[in-house]
Amino acid sequence: MKRTVLPIVATVAAILAMISVARTRPKREPTVPPSAPPTSSFEQVVAGVGLVEANSENIDVSCAVSGMVTQLYVKAGDRVGQGQKLFSLDDRDLRADQQVKRAALEGAQARLAKLEQEPRAEDIPPAEERVREAQANLADAEVQVRLIESVTDKRAVRDEDVQRRRLAYKAAQARLAEVEAQLGLLKAGAWAPDIAVAKSEVAQAEAGGSSGQDG
């Protein structure tokens, strides 16, 4: 009995396995070719395998940057002329990079314009006022030194006070020289090397330029 049942069970299992495999196989719909194969209008023909080339020369079509083609403007068999647009690439990355470069250019131009417009008219009066203040402080320190040095009786003043007023006079001289130098630099405007560096930054930003995305 067992010898009879086992072959039957094995046969049924094999049939079920074949049915399962047949069901899991992908169904492929028949496709129609985009165009009919070429046919000859002559009764006698000669067949051969070869490469069809242009009458003048072959032209390679390429692009300076790589990317996904988003749009085609021609199709096979079309005649194209010089400068005609053939396709477009995905330019989102290039446009983002262009915006970054444009912002860098605007920043460099703003820095250059700021340097070229120096000094601002509103910055000069405060600087001149600091010079007048330093001159007044120097005059006062000079008076204080003369007064204390004019005392004939050395017992009436301490040597420490004399030295302090002399140091205050020297400090007032140094302060006046400092604010006068600052005023001179302000009136002279931006330093020529700084302007040259700013112009170089603008030129470098302009050299970044914009990139083409069409072929």
Side-chain angles (χ1 to χ4, degrees), residues 35-200:
S35 59
T39 58
S40 176
S41 58
F42 301 98
E43 294 182 358
Q44 297 180 354
V45 296
V46 176
V49 178
L51 176 64
V52 178
E53 296 185 351
N55 186 29
S56 56
E57 59 179 327
N58 293 326
I59 301 175
D60 295 329
V61 178
S62 62
C63 190
V65 294
S66 60
M68 181 177 64
V69 176
T70 57
Q71 191 171 359
L72 290 173
Y73 304 104
V74 294
K75 62 181 182 296
D78 288 351
R79 288 184 174 273
V80 297
Q82 183 177 2
Q84 181 177 346
K85 187 183 294 186
L86 304 180
F87 58 88
S88 293
L89 298 180
D90 184 4
D91 60 350
R92 289 174 294 181
D93 293 341
L94 293 176
R95 283 189 283 109
D97 183 63
Q98 188 179 34
Q99 291 178 357
V100 173
K101 291 179 179 179
R102 185 179 294 113
L105 174 59
E106 292 175 354
Q109 290 174 337
R111 287 190 294 271
L112 176 59
K114 178 180 180 298
L115 291 174
E116 291 178 339
Q117 292 173 3
E118 291 182 358
R120 296 187 302 175
E122 59 270 22
D123 290 340
I124 295 179
E128 292 176 338
E129 182 61 29
R130 287 191 291 270
V131 171
R132 288 190 290 268
E133 180 183 0
Q135 290 172 342
N137 291 335
L138 177 61
D140 180 69
E142 185 178 5
V143 170
Q144 296 299 325
V145 170
R146 288 181 179 179
L147 286 175
I148 201 168
E149 289 180 346
S150 64
V151 177
T152 56
D153 188 357
K154 300 303 180 181
R155 294 175 298 177
V157 295
R158 295 184 303 173
D159 185 65
E160 179 183 352
D161 293 336
V162 176
Q163 296 299 327
R164 184 174 297 160
R165 293 193 182 185
R166 289 174 178 172
L167 291 174
Y169 176 69
K170 292 182 179 180
Q173 286 179 319
R175 175 58 181 170
L176 176 59
E178 179 184 2
V179 294
E180 285 179 340
Q182 291 175 351
L183 177 60
L185 289 175
L186 182 62
K187 289 183 176 181
W191 193 31
D194 289 340
I195 295 179
V197 171
K199 288 182 178 180
S200 176

